[in-house]
Amino acid sequence: MITLNYNNVDASVIGKDHGLNLEKEFSNYKNDIEKIIKDLNQRKDKPGQWLQWMNLGYNEETVWYVKEFAAMVKGRFDNVLVLGIGGSALGGIAVTEALLKPYWNLLTPEQRGGMPRIFFLDNIDPDQITGLLQVLDLKRTLVNVITKSGSTAETMSQYMIVKNLLEQQLGDDYRKNIVATTDQKTGILRQLADQEGYKTFVVPDDVGGRFSVFSAVGLLPFALVGIDIEEMMNGVKDMDLALKNTDIHNNIAAQNALIHYLMDTKKGKNLSVMMPYSSRLKYISDWYVQLWAESLGKEENNKGKKVNCGPTPIKALGATDQHSQIQLYNEGPNDKVINFIRVEEFDNTLEIPHIFEYTGIGYLGGKTINQLINAEADSTRVALSDYKRPTVTISLPKVNAYNVAQLLYMLEVQTAIAGELYNINTFNQPGVEQAKNYTYALMGRAGYEESAKALKEKMEKQK
Ligand code: PA5
């Protein structure tokens, strides 16, 4: 199991101005946490609660269908191209970066065990898209278009471009190169996919994009490149079981949620840094940033009171960002909680050769890079505590399907518990609608004419 060490947020380590009396706080919040966990588990099956993501680990049917499809197309494609944005892409990127061999797309087919390369187009940069389409042989590419709403402008415009090219190159057969993951009944992509006869997978009801990594949104791309999705589901189930424990002393998601909440509301530390000491886990931070930001950044609480709450998430990478951000974290404003992620055992052990023995770098000879990266994680954590900066450390025994799934699921539950502590709606995102509507207006979507007029006036003033 992954573990959480929170000693360095305690007042006994970083002093009472910046630290928490955790024993007291855990006992103060014991009943609230118990109620929150019970309540989440009771509400999770009710429609409209947006908590179906808590059931995804047990969805054997999806695992079966995804594996069946992956087996069916095995060997037919050299590439998988995922089209999607936000919650429809970030989990996929985070997990494939963590679990595939590094530099996967540069390996030979033999080195990849016959599995395809994988690319995610999660933006609408014309140069990036053009560049990717120039290097991909679309005839040998399986395109997985993912959008829950079925109408997201970024994803659908990518899809329109790629579908057109596929049709030009493959004639009527192009349909075999497209698989759509979308809502079961509604949305433009659902309509198109049914009309065109694409293979489809479903984003289940009451699962928001940022909580969808363990649905077909993530599982399909993972299975297509040979990631062990059953092992991932085992990780989710075991973590789910552990996090059903209503005692704060035994529930790491509740502990970290409460720590972040109290650090924000009592100690003014409203920035949450995610800093894995592992390049393979780098994109877990991107995924976490979206999860934390879209879920917790809210204008109103559940009582309709204006609160404008939400700790700002920041991504960092150890040891790289010790040479970029740590100066600020040690000596700048004491307004952050830093989440270290530490890997106990790497897949490879890399020894530093005994050369340059009589120079200032001779001490490195005979040690391993593994020792160095974890020594740097420890040193940075202790140095931060010298500066009275709170840190927590999440430890993964190894980077594998089981542990990475546990980590993601733990962070999802942590986010849901934090949302309850802030008393906000964790699962909506009203704040992204305004700019979306303006974009529709600017791009001439029918029904947005009035909005276009108002927008143009505002833009004129802002020139
Ligand atoms: O978490 C979310 O709900 C969002 O980030 C969505 O995933 C994102 O906006 C993409 O939406 P869709 O899947 O409908 O294209």
Side-chain angles (χ1 to χ4, degrees):
M1 295 295 281
I2 65 170
T3 58
L4 176 78
N5 182 328
Y6 47 74
N7 288 338
N8 284 17
V9 298
D10 198 85
S12 61
V13 177
I14 58 169
K16 64 177 179 4
D17 287 349
H18 296 287
L20 299 166
N21 183 338
L22 279 179
E23 204 185 307
K24 197 171 124 224
E25 298 295 5
F26 280 6
S27 118
N28 287 348
Y29 279 86
K30 197 175 176 335
N31 293 341
D32 289 350
I33 291 292
E34 193 180 311
K35 197 164 155 278
I36 287 172
I37 295 170
K38 272 193 187 149
D39 183 55
L40 287 171
N41 280 290
Q42 269 161 15
R43 277 165 44 210
K44 76 181 166 67
D45 297 319
K46 292 193 188 141
Q49 296 292 316
W50 291 92
L51 288 168
Q52 273 300 324
W53 55 271
M54 294 179 80
N55 292 323
L56 292 176
Y58 303 92
N59 194 339
E60 284 167 17
E61 216 185 347
T62 302
V63 172
W64 192 89
Y65 280 119
V66 159
K67 282 186 70 175
E68 189 208 32
F69 179 73
M72 206 174 80
V73 297
K74 193 170 174 205
R76 269 180 45 204
F77 298 102
D78 299 332
N79 312 299
V80 172
L81 171 59
V82 178
L83 309 178
I85 199 162
S88 290
L90 287 163
I93 297 170
V95 171
T96 51
E97 288 287 333
L99 297 181
L100 294 178
K101 282 189 189 156
Y103 305 103
W104 178 256
N105 289 344
L106 298 182
L107 302 178
T108 63
E110 293 72 40
Q111 287 168 325
R112 282 186 266 113
M115 292 296 171
R117 302 185 291 173
I118 187 159
F119 300 87
F120 289 84
L121 257 191
D122 67 335
N123 203 355
I124 39 167
D125 179 317
D127 295 336
Q128 185 205 22
I129 299 176
T130 309
L132 182 62
L133 293 175
Q134 277 166 359
V135 299
L136 282 188
D137 176 4
L138 280 183
K139 289 189 199 134
R140 299 281 306 162
T141 300
L142 179 65
V143 178
N144 183 196
V145 49
I146 308 178
T147 160
K148 178 173 173 70
S149 62
S151 57
T152 300
E154 293 90 339
T155 307
M156 292 310 275
S157 57
Q158 293 168 351
Y159 160 70
M160 287 155 87
I161 291 168
V162 172
K163 185 247 175 198
N164 216 29
L165 286 172
L166 271 174
E167 203 169 355
Q168 283 165 18
Q169 295 181 18
L170 285 165
D172 272 355
D173 267 357
Y174 78 92
R175 293 180 176 85
K176 293 184 188 145
N177 288 43
I178 299 178
V179 49
T181 308
T182 191
D183 190 85
Q184 184 152 28
K185 295 195 199 91
T186 63
I188 300 168
L189 182 62
R190 167 52 62 191
Q191 241 178 16
L192 292 174
D194 289 348
Q195 268 165 26
E196 300 253 316
Y198 302 154
K199 173 78 185 166
T200 61
F201 285 88
V202 169
V203 188
D205 288 345
D206 292 328
V207 176
R210 55 191 177 273
F211 289 86
S212 69
V213 62
F214 300 116
S215 72
V217 169
L219 297 184
L220 178 60
F222 304 157
L224 289 169
V225 291
I227 290 172
D228 187 346
I229 58 172
E230 270 163 341
E231 196 52 11
M232 289 187 75
M233 293 298 106
N234 289 338
V236 175
K237 279 184 281 192
D238 288 352
M239 184 49 81
D240 184 56
L241 205 65
L243 299 182
K244 282 198 163 75
N245 195 319
T246 56
D247 180 357
I248 177 130
H249 296 94
N250 295 313
N251 186 315
I252 60 175
Q255 289 162 355
N256 213 20
L258 183 64
I259 285 167
H260 277 77
Y261 171 72
L262 293 175
M263 278 294 180
D264 176 14
T265 53
K266 283 193 164 178
K267 302 286 177 184
K269 301 184 201 315
N270 60 359
L271 305 176
S272 171
V273 180
M274 184 55 75
M275 190 166 183
Y277 272 70
S278 154
S279 292
R280 292 170 67 185
L281 300 182
K282 179 175 176 178
Y283 293 94
I284 301 273
S285 302
D286 285 53
W287 174 86
Y288 170 75
V289 163
Q290 189 221 6
L291 180 72
W292 202 242
E294 263 190 359
S295 301
L296 302 182
K298 297 290 150 76
E299 184 162 74
E300 288 184 356
N301 70 8
N302 288 329
K303 290 186 176 145
K305 189 175 163 219
K306 198 164 173 169
V307 285
N308 295 111
C309 74
T312 302
I314 298 172
K315 51 189 180 180
L317 177 67
T320 310
D321 285 319
Q322 287 176 200
H323 302 268
S324 157
Q325 302 181 28
I326 287 295
Q327 168 62 32
L328 171 73
Y329 296 174
N330 274 332
E331 294 193 352
N334 193 342
D335 54 3
K336 304 166 193 69
V337 180
I338 299 163
N339 295 263
F340 286 108
I341 304 182
R342 192 189 150 100
V343 175
E344 298 307 337
E345 191 192 329
F346 290 83
D347 284 0
N348 298 283
T349 304
L350 201 55
E351 196 175 308
I352 307 167
H354 271 292
I355 53 174
F356 306 124
E357 284 204 20
Y358 304 105
T359 72
I361 53 172
Y363 71 95
L364 292 169
K367 312 278 173 19
T368 63
I369 288 281
N370 310 50
Q371 282 172 294
L372 183 59
I373 193 165
N374 280 340
E376 297 211 9
D378 292 342
S379 315
T380 305
R381 190 190 64 240
V382 174
L384 281 160
S385 74
D386 291 344
Y387 283 98
K388 316 282 179 223
R389 312 290 153 136
T391 61
V392 296
T393 301
I394 301 166
S395 294
L396 260 73
K398 251 179 114 61
V399 177
N400 59 25
Y402 181 82
N403 292 331
V404 167
Q406 282 206 347
L407 173 66
L408 296 183
Y409 188 72
M410 188 281 262
L411 291 170
E412 287 181 345
V413 176
Q414 173 187 310
T415 306
I417 296 174
E420 297 301 307
L421 288 165
Y422 283 103
N423 192 22
I424 46 116
N425 182 341
T426 313
F427 304 106
N428 65 1
Q429 51 283 322
V432 297
E433 291 309 316
Q434 185 75 332
K436 260 195 199 172
N437 292 336
Y438 281 157
T439 306
Y440 294 148
L442 276 181
M443 297 298 284
R445 185 170 175 179
Y448 290 80
E449 296 77 6
E450 279 307 305
S451 194
K453 237 169 82 189
L455 172 67
K456 280 185 185 140
E457 277 166 26
K458 285 183 191 173
M459 283 172 70
E460 203 51 43
K461 274 196 201 147
Q462 291 172 18
K463 253 185 187 165

